[in-house]
Amino acid sequence: MKIKSVLSMGLVCSGLTVGGFTYINASAKYVGHNSTPTELRGTWYRYNGHNKWDIYKITKKSVKYNGYLLYSTSKGGSNKLFIKPLNKKVTGGSGVSYILNGHFKNDDTFGEFWLSHQKVNGHRVLKNYHLMGQYNVFTKSKVKYNYSYHKNSFKDIGR
């Protein structure tokens, strides 16, 4: 009995030692440039007044705005879908935002997109920053309130 307990204790210790050396650090860093991150995918709504909404439909290989195809992997030039992740911790914001056609300057894009930690009706919102301090806020459902705002600061990008 004593030999069995010593032997089993030795096997447990050796298993823990080997397991400690074979630890693999798995992170969810975005590496693909030709498909949208899963957190951004879906249909997103922003209330525009008078029972009208601006609608972004983001799929794995395309981005549509109000039914108009903006970016796609099958397009070329400025309409080519090329995702460029930006780490905002370096520039004063927090988290990661994405430019949807990252080969071009910000003037040729619809700005930066990110999934915010803020919630509306219990669901996180999609935010977009595009020139001159305009933050657009999109929800997963049609809500009759426009949560978009104007702020002369870059610190909200990626939050």
Side-chain angles (χ1 to χ4, degrees), residues 107-151:
D107 296 345
D108 298 329
T109 70
F110 276 81
E112 299 178 35
F113 291 83
W114 66 94
L115 186 64
S116 176
H117 291 287
Q118 293 178 348
K119 294 183 179 183
V120 172
N121 293 338
H123 298 285
R124 292 174 69 182
V125 297
L126 177 74
K127 286 192 176 181
N128 163 249
Y129 174 81
H130 183 64
L131 299 177
M132 307 302 290
Q134 180 62 35
Y135 289 87
N136 298 310
V137 179
F138 295 87
T139 60
K140 287 295 273 182
S141 59
K142 291 183 176 181
V143 178
K144 287 190 174 183
Y145 184 81
N146 189 346
Y147 291 94
S148 300
Y149 59 96
H150 184 82
K151 188 172 185 180

Side-chain angles (χ1 to χ4, degrees), residues 2 7 13-14 18 28 36 38 40-41 43 53 55 59 61-62 65 73 78 95 103 109 112 124 136 138 148:
K2 192 172 185 179
L7 184 60
C13 289
S14 65
V18 171
T36 58
T38 54
L40 300 182
R41 294 179 197 166
T43 304
W53 284 266
I55 302 170
T59 64
K61 300 291 183 181
S62 69
Y65 179 68
T73 55
S78 63
H103 283 306
T109 70
E112 299 178 35
R124 292 174 69 182
N136 298 310
F138 295 87
S148 300

Side-chain angles (χ1 to χ4, degrees), residues 6-148:
V6 169
L7 184 60
S8 64
M9 184 64 111
L11 287 173
V12 168
C13 289
S14 65
L16 289 175
T17 303
V18 171
F21 289 125
T22 59
Y23 173 75
I24 297 172
N25 185 9
S27 64
K29 186 176 179 182
Y30 178 75
V31 294
H33 292 290
N34 295 320
S35 63
T36 58
T38 54
E39 65 190 40
L40 300 182
R41 294 179 197 166
T43 304
W44 299 91
Y45 303 93
R46 180 183 66 172
Y47 189 61
N48 211 7
H50 307 290
N51 290 324
K52 294 184 181 178
W53 284 266
D54 289 328
I55 302 170
Y56 269 104
K57 184 169 182 164
I58 302 173
T59 64
K60 184 176 183 178
K61 300 291 183 181
S62 69
V63 177
K64 290 182 180 180
Y65 179 68
N66 290 336
Y68 175 73
L69 182 64
L70 294 177
Y71 310 117
S72 174
T73 55
S74 63
K75 296 283 186 179
S78 63
N79 292 352
K80 177 77 171 172
L81 181 66
F82 182 84
I83 309 299
K84 181 178 179 183
L86 301 171
N87 187 347
K88 289 295 150 188
K89 291 180 182 174
V90 175
T91 60
S94 66
V96 176
S97 63
Y98 302 93
I99 294 179
L100 300 180
N101 63 344
H103 283 306
F104 295 90
K105 295 180 181 177
N106 283 343
D107 296 345
D108 298 329
T109 70
F110 276 81
E112 299 178 35
F113 291 83
W114 66 94
L115 186 64
S116 176
H117 291 287
Q118 293 178 348
K119 294 183 179 183
V120 172
N121 293 338
H123 298 285
R124 292 174 69 182
V125 297
L126 177 74
K127 286 192 176 181
N128 163 249
Y129 174 81
H130 183 64
L131 299 177
M132 307 302 290
Q134 180 62 35
Y135 289 87
N136 298 310
V137 179
F138 295 87
T139 60
K140 287 295 273 182
S141 59
K142 291 183 176 181
V143 178
K144 287 190 174 183
Y145 184 81
N146 189 346
Y147 291 94
S148 300

